Amino acid sequence: MKGLSRFFTIGLVTAWYSSNIGVLLLNKYLLSNYGFKYPIFLTMCHMTACSLLSYVAISWMKMVPLQTIRSRVQFMKIAALSLVFCGSVVSGNVSLRYLPVSFNQAIGATTPFFTAVFAYIMTVKREAWITYVTLIPVVTGVIIASGVLGNAKGAVAVVVSILIFKNPVSVTGMLGYTLTVIGVVLYSEAKKRSK
């Protein structure tokens, strides 16, 4: 039973990586190479597919229990989160018309930095000093890589993007990208240890 559970988890992670990278590259192809001009329509398709597949996973496959909204406050928080997420996806899709996938992924790699900053601003909760120190290579790597390159998922997306879209890659860009990945790994480890 343990082996089956492990394979199921590996399958889910593989499906997530594949679908995430596939959506990113397909959006880039449609918006840049194919001349499709409707990034918000792509976002609508993305959100609709997520909703339908979530419903199937919850209601039919019973992967997680169905949860109900308990209050108006909870509904407002969920609605706000949904709007922010939708705005994020729309912005990402719009940016794919103008930016290489590698740069898009490098910007996405700054998520730990902005998460720490906004967590402090919103909750006035400070992290351990080591957490902030580990963000230095993340930000430095993105700054260096801005002249092409994200996180572990981004690594695959960048390589595939380079192969498909022939994005130019410099030694400096690869150095920055490598530093960013190291920073993300260090940040993740620091967060685990501080809990």
Side-chain angles (χ1 to χ4, degrees), residues 154-176:
V156 178
V158 167
V159 170
V160 174
S161 160
I162 290 166
L163 294 174
I164 293 174
F165 300 112
K166 308 291 189 252
N167 293 341
V169 182
S170 66
V171 173
T172 305
M174 288 306 292
L175 175 66

Side-chain angles (χ1 to χ4, degrees), residues 112 116-117 119-120 124-136 186-195:
V117 169
Y120 177 73
V124 196
K125 177 187 170 243
R126 291 187 180 198
E127 299 287 344
W129 68 270
I130 191 74
T131 301
Y132 293 113
V133 170
T134 62
L135 290 173
I136 293 170
L186 290 172
Y187 173 81
S188 299
E189 287 301 312
K191 285 295 284 179
K192 279 184 207 168
R193 289 184 181 155
S194 68
K195 286 183 180 176

Side-chain angles (χ1 to χ4, degrees), residues 23 27 36 38-53 85-91 93-94:
V23 165
N27 285 347
F36 191 77
Y38 308 104
I40 295 176
F41 177 76
L42 291 177
T43 302
M44 184 194 74
C45 292
H46 180 166
M47 296 295 172
T48 302
C50 286
S51 297
L52 292 174
L53 292 173
F85 179 72
C86 185
S88 170
V89 175
V90 168
S91 299
N93 284 343
V94 170

